[in-house]
């Protein structure tokens, strides 16, 4: 951009970029600042005339061990779901990008993004119907086994992980696919002509070259899963209390917006910290 | 029906000199007052027109009363909020002598301290209900008489309660023999609830949830609302709604007249019709909560849920009616409840 000395060029740049920045200002910056402001209040100004500023909402995170426990539980959930998404999604993307060609690829691609077009709540409720006792999955398996089967999957952490992996898997597949597809076929040919085995090609060429895409997908999955509340609530039952559900309760059940906002910003800070710690790896992947 | 409506119309002529008023009712949507069988006969008999406006939360209802003076003539207020409305001067005392059917309301409801203030009635007791529990008849053969069945290891992993901090604490208070509105030994309640958690399968959050879990056979025992239980039974679910010896949590809805109403006589006529046995029997057939009017409850058919389960005379002593819950209490309950859930 430093080369843009021409005044008309600069004007054009401002004109082209301003809608995007305006959008960021209105849709991201303003609501977030309002929430940040709320998080330092004792009460909401519209409810209580004598509101004031306090750090108490942030202090409550430290004084009540429940929040810390739940945050750790949510981070663990985020890591589990991300790992599962990578293990399932990356091989899918590999096959899609390197093996299948033509019409079949388009069809499979469509099938991968199809779940994205349905409402997430509908997806989770479908899982509830499949997983619950005497549900679709148990009935189906009973066709093959002679005894009365009880999987007891519903209302477990496994059910939550299944629902979340299904919801976020397309991110990993899409980003990995784009990175894998961009790899020049000639490089692979060259490696093969030098006698590299399939595993070596995967380990030394495909994986490092597609790492930026894979990492972008992992971040796209990890961040929303740590704050998820709807999926754990519906599929988790008794064990479905996470950091996200506690924040939701503050907004919906007790109307304590300041505390809910403070808890949200602590989550944001922790996620940013995790991404910062992981950034050396991410940067290495990008070079 | 005919005689009542005839008297109503005569009264209407006498009171307003045949002037037809338009009365505005503020209520939850689909909650009795706005159904066809409520509005049409009343309009026909009195000539008054009934217009409805709805609220989605009690806070919204109070805000509407505060900000729109003169806009409403009848308002539904849960007894928990009546005193707040009285202290803010939002509602007027009701002249019960103008309400013929008021005589049928039981002494306990008519003098309820939450609906009255300084000997004046501010809310006409309309309908009430219970939060207790129900069992699945297919898996629970012997009908229990105690709340302890929720803790029974025999039904471990087949029990559910609602995901609501205040309600959970109230059940804990009942189980530990305490006053739900004045829990002295909070630690005992906490401990009791903590021992309930391993027995739970899930938390339910809506009537629809509850019906699905029961129909799928996921649950044997679950806390439930009486009005919802009546609907589920009518719907064909094999369940029994119970009021255990430890008691149950009660709620009471009253109809009030806003202080700024300009059609107070017409409003009282409408309230009179709302607690009339003629109206209530029709509403009950369509699925209603229990009427606060003893005469209306008595007019129900003998097999009606609201007569067999809630009409039981020795029930009254076991019900603990909910009092207002302060924000501090609500928050401290939520903290305890979240702590219990997080420990799972």
């Amino acid at each position: 951009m430093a080369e843009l000395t021409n005044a008309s060029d600069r004007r054009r740049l401002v004109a082209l970029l301003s809608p995007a920045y305006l959008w960021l200002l209105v849709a991201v910056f303003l609501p977030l600042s309002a929430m940040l402001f709320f998080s330092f209040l004792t009460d909401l100004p519209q409810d209580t005339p004598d509101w004031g500023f306090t750090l108490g909402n942030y202090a409550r995170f430290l004084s009540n061990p429940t929040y810390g426990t739940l945050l750790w539980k949510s981070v663990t959930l985020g890591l589990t779901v991300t790992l599962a998404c990578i293990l399932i999604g990356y091989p899918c993307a590999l096959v899609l990008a390197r093996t299948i060609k033509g019409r079949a690829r388009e069809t499979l691609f469509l099938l991968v993004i199809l779940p994205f077009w349905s409402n997430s709540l509908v997806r989770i409720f479908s899982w509830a119907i499949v997983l619950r006792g005497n549900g679709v999955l148990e009935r189906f398996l009973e066709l093959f086994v002679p005894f009365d089967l009880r999987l007891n999957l519903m209302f477990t952490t496994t059910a939550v992980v299944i629902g979340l992996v299904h919801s976020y898997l397309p991110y990993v597949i899409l980003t990995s696919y784009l990175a894998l597809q961009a790899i020049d076929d000639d490089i692979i040919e060259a490696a093969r002509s030098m006698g590299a085995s399939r595993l070596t090609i995967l380990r030394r060429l495909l994986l490092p070259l597609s790492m930026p895409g894979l990492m972008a997908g992992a971040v796209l999955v990890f961040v929303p899963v740590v704050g998820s509340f709807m999926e754990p609530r519906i599929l988790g039952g008794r064990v479905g209390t996470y950091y996200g559900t506690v924040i939701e309760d503050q907004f919906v059940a007790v109307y304590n917006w300041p505390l809910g906002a403070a808890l949200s910003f602590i989550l944001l800070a922790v996620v940013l910290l995790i991404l910062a710690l992981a950034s050396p790896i991410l940067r290495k992947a990008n070079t | 029906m005919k005689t009542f409506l005839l008297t109503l119309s005569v009264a209407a002529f006498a009171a307003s000199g045949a002037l037809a008023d338009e009365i505005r009712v503020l209520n939850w949507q689909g909650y009795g007052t706005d159904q066809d069988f409520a509005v049409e006969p009343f309009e026909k008999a009195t000539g008054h027109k009934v217009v409805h406006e709805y609220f989605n939360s009690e806070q919204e209802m109070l805000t509407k009363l505060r900000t729109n003076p003169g806009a409403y003539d009848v308002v539904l207020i849960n007894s928990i909020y009546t005193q707040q409305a009285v202290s803010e001067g939002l509602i007027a005392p009701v002249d019960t002598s103008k309400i013929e059917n008021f005589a049928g309301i039981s002494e306990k409801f008519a003098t309820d301290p939450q609906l009255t203030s300084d000997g004046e009635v501010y809310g006409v007791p309309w309908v009430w209900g219970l939060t207790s529990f129900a069992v699945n008849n297919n898996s629970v053969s012997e009908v229990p008489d105690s709340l302890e069945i929720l803790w029974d290891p025999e039904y471990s992993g087949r029990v559910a309660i609602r995901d609501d901090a205040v309600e959970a604490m109230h059940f804990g208070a009942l189980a530990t023999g305490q006053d739900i509105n004045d829990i002295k030994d909070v630690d005992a309640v906490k401990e009791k609830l903590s021992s309930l958690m391993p027995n739970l399968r899930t938390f339910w959050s809506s009537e629809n949830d509850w019906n699905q879990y029961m129909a799928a056979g996921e649950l044997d025992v679950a806390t439930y609302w009486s009005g919802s239980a009546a609907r589920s039974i009518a719907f064909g679910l094999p369940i029994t709604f119970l009021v255990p010896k430890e008691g149950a949590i009660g709620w009471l809805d009253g109809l009030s007249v806003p202080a700024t109403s300009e059609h107070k006589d017409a409003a009282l006529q409408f309230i009179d019709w709302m607690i009339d046995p003629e109206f209530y029997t029709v509403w009950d057939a369509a699925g209603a909560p229990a009427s606060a009017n003893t005469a209306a409850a008595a007019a129900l058919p003998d097999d009606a849920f609201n007569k067999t389960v809630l009409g039981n005379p020795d029930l009254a002593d076991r019900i603990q009616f909910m009092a207002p819950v302060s924000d501090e209490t609500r928050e401290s309950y939520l903290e305890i409840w979240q702590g219990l859930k997080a420990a799972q």
Side-chain angles (χ1 to χ4, degrees):
Chain A
M1 294 224 211
E3 305 83 277
L4 285 175
T5 41
N6 191 325
S8 74
D9 271 0
R10 214 175 297 161
R11 255 200 311 278
R12 203 175 304 141
L13 187 75
V14 170
L16 285 172
L17 280 179
S18 57
Y21 280 106
L22 200 68
W23 170 251
L24 276 179
L25 180 78
V26 173
V28 180
F29 186 72
L30 287 182
L32 266 184
S33 341
M35 275 295 149
L36 188 65
F37 174 69
F38 283 153
S39 73
F40 290 106
L41 299 185
T42 48
D43 288 288
L44 284 183
Q46 65 256 42
D47 294 345
T48 329
D50 56 337
W51 56 277
F53 290 99
T54 176
L55 282 173
N57 298 315
Y58 289 91
R60 275 177 75 174
F61 177 84
L62 299 174
S63 63
N64 189 341
T66 307
Y67 300 126
T69 318
L70 287 175
L71 184 55
W72 176 243
K73 197 177 160 191
S74 286
V75 170
T76 322
L77 178 75
L79 292 174
T80 317
V81 171
T82 311
L83 190 70
C85 281
I86 289 174
L87 288 179
I88 302 169
Y90 191 74
C92 282
L94 197 63
V95 171
L96 264 177
R98 312 292 321 172
T99 323
I100 299 170
K101 298 259 162 11
R103 278 308 268 273
R105 183 194 275 184
E106 280 168 30
T107 317
L108 280 172
F109 212 81
L110 194 72
L111 286 176
V112 167
I113 48 174
L114 203 60
F116 253 28
W117 297 352
S118 64
N119 181 291
S120 58
L121 199 64
V122 173
R123 263 179 278 158
I124 294 304
F125 271 113
S126 323
W127 273 112
I129 293 168
V130 172
L131 295 176
R132 74 168 178 227
N134 212 5
V136 177
L137 184 64
E138 280 187 13
R139 292 239 182 114
F140 177 73
L141 290 175
E142 267 167 18
L143 294 177
F144 302 99
V145 291
F147 51 88
D148 196 20
L149 192 81
R150 267 214 145 153
L151 290 171
N152 272 332
L153 270 177
M154 191 64 183
F155 307 130
T156 60
T157 312
T158 319
V160 178
V161 172
I162 291 176
L164 284 168
V165 167
H166 177 241
S167 290
Y168 290 102
L169 190 60
Y171 283 120
V172 173
I173 298 185
L174 285 176
T175 54
S176 304
Y177 170 83
L178 291 175
L180 283 165
Q181 205 200 19
I183 298 172
D184 198 336
D185 281 341
D186 292 346
I187 301 175
I188 311 295
E189 295 293 321
R192 207 172 283 155
S193 71
M194 307 281 271
S197 70
R198 289 174 142 228
L199 202 66
T200 313
I201 293 176
L202 176 68
R203 202 164 50 84
R204 302 279 303 272
L205 289 173
L206 291 175
L207 205 51
L209 284 172
S210 63
M211 197 49 96
L214 183 59
M215 280 301 140
V219 171
L220 282 178
V221 174
F222 178 75
V223 174
V225 167
V226 174
S228 64
F229 58 90
M230 183 263 287
E231 296 89 349
R233 201 181 274 283
I234 296 170
L235 295 173
R238 181 170 67 90
V239 295
T241 305
Y242 285 87
Y243 195 72
T245 58
V246 170
I247 295 177
E248 191 204 3
D249 280 343
Q250 295 304 332
F251 282 97
V252 179
V254 288
Y255 303 104
N256 192 344
W257 283 34
L259 181 59
L263 292 175
S264 305
F265 276 97
I266 290 169
L267 175 65
L268 185 63
V270 169
V271 167
L272 287 178
L273 188 74
I274 293 173
L275 293 184
L277 289 176
S279 71
I281 310 169
L282 293 176
R283 207 174 310 127
K284 208 175 140 210
N286 271 321
T287 48
Chain B
M1 177 101 156
K2 278 217 180 79
T3 51
F4 171 76
L5 291 175
L6 205 66
T7 29
L8 250 192
S9 44
V10 170
F13 271 96
S16 58
L19 269 180
D21 284 332
E22 180 180 285
I23 57 166
R24 296 182 162 267
V25 181
L26 185 61
N27 192 358
W28 304 95
Q29 186 154 18
Y31 194 42
T33 58
D34 60 346
Q35 268 141 332
D36 287 344
F37 53 80
V39 174
E40 273 168 20
F42 178 78
E43 287 184 341
K44 210 176 273 175
T46 61
H48 300 317
K49 207 171 143 24
V50 182
V51 181
H52 273 83
E53 245 191 73
Y54 303 109
F55 56 83
N56 293 307
S57 72
E58 264 101 3
Q59 292 309 328
E60 189 188 337
M61 177 268 296
L62 290 170
T63 310
K64 282 193 160 164
L65 286 182
R66 281 181 208 125
T67 51
N68 306 334
Y72 310 108
D73 304 298
V74 176
V75 56
L76 171 111
I77 306 182
N78 184 278
S79 66
I80 288 182
Y81 295 90
T82 308
Q83 290 303 322
Q84 190 184 344
V86 171
S87 69
E88 289 188 34
L90 296 174
I91 51 177
V94 172
D95 182 359
T96 55
S97 67
K98 286 187 180 162
I99 301 178
E100 254 176 70
N101 285 303
F102 198 83
I105 290 174
S106 69
E107 183 71 17
K108 190 176 152 67
F109 285 134
T111 58
D112 188 286
Q114 293 187 50
L115 292 181
T116 52
S117 180
D118 288 336
E120 298 260 34
V121 174
Y122 281 85
V124 176
W126 185 36
V127 284
W128 62 282
L130 291 178
T131 306
S132 188
F133 72 93
V135 296
N136 192 330
N137 297 342
N138 292 337
S139 39
V140 182
S141 47
E142 211 168 305
V143 172
D145 69 337
S146 165
L147 200 55
E148 285 299 316
I149 189 171
L150 271 78
W151 280 264
D152 192 336
E154 196 189 328
Y155 302 107
S156 177
R158 320 269 305 146
V159 179
I161 66 173
R162 194 161 76 95
D163 189 3
D164 180 283
V166 174
E167 200 171 292
M169 291 297 284
H170 283 170
F171 270 108
L174 284 177
T176 52
Q178 301 192 64
D179 181 350
I180 60 166
N181 297 315
D182 183 21
I183 302 178
K184 293 261 186 329
D185 192 349
V186 174
D187 287 331
V189 171
K190 202 169 152 183
E191 212 163 286
K192 190 74 185 166
L193 287 177
S194 158
S195 66
L196 174 66
M197 298 307 263
N199 243 24
L200 295 182
R201 176 134 183 89
T202 185
F203 305 106
W204 61 275
S205 54
S206 69
E207 190 178 321
N208 183 41
D209 262 9
W210 199 97
N211 287 337
Q212 285 197 358
Y213 294 148
M214 270 295 170
E218 295 263 8
L219 300 174
D220 292 341
V221 186
T223 58
Y224 209 19
W225 300 315
S226 57
S228 307
R231 275 189 292 275
S232 299
I233 291 169
F235 176 69
L237 273 185
I239 58 159
T240 307
F241 184 82
L242 296 150
V243 181
K245 60 179 186 227
E246 290 89 349
I249 305 153
W251 54 265
L252 175 62
D253 277 341
L255 293 170
S256 302
V257 181
T260 52
S261 162
E262 284 155 13
H263 314 288
K264 288 206 172 75
D265 283 328
L268 291 184
Q269 280 175 15
F270 187 70
I271 293 176
D272 198 7
W273 169 231
M274 279 297 111
I275 56 172
D276 192 272
E278 310 274 5
F279 163 70
Y280 181 65
T281 42
V282 180
W283 188 21
D284 186 69
S291 174
N293 184 353
T294 316
L300 291 180
D302 282 336
D303 60 341
F305 178 88
N306 283 326
K307 193 168 189 174
T308 52
V309 181
L310 301 184
N312 192 346
D314 63 297
L315 200 74
D317 306 328
R318 282 181 285 159
I319 300 172
Q320 296 195 32
F321 277 89
M322 261 204 289
V325 182
S326 71
D327 284 350
E328 291 79 48
T329 315
R330 196 176 287 275
E331 246 171 66
S332 73
Y333 285 178
L334 183 72
E335 215 159 278
I336 293 172
W337 181 233
Q338 282 179 339
L340 287 169
K341 287 201 295 177
Q344 296 309 303

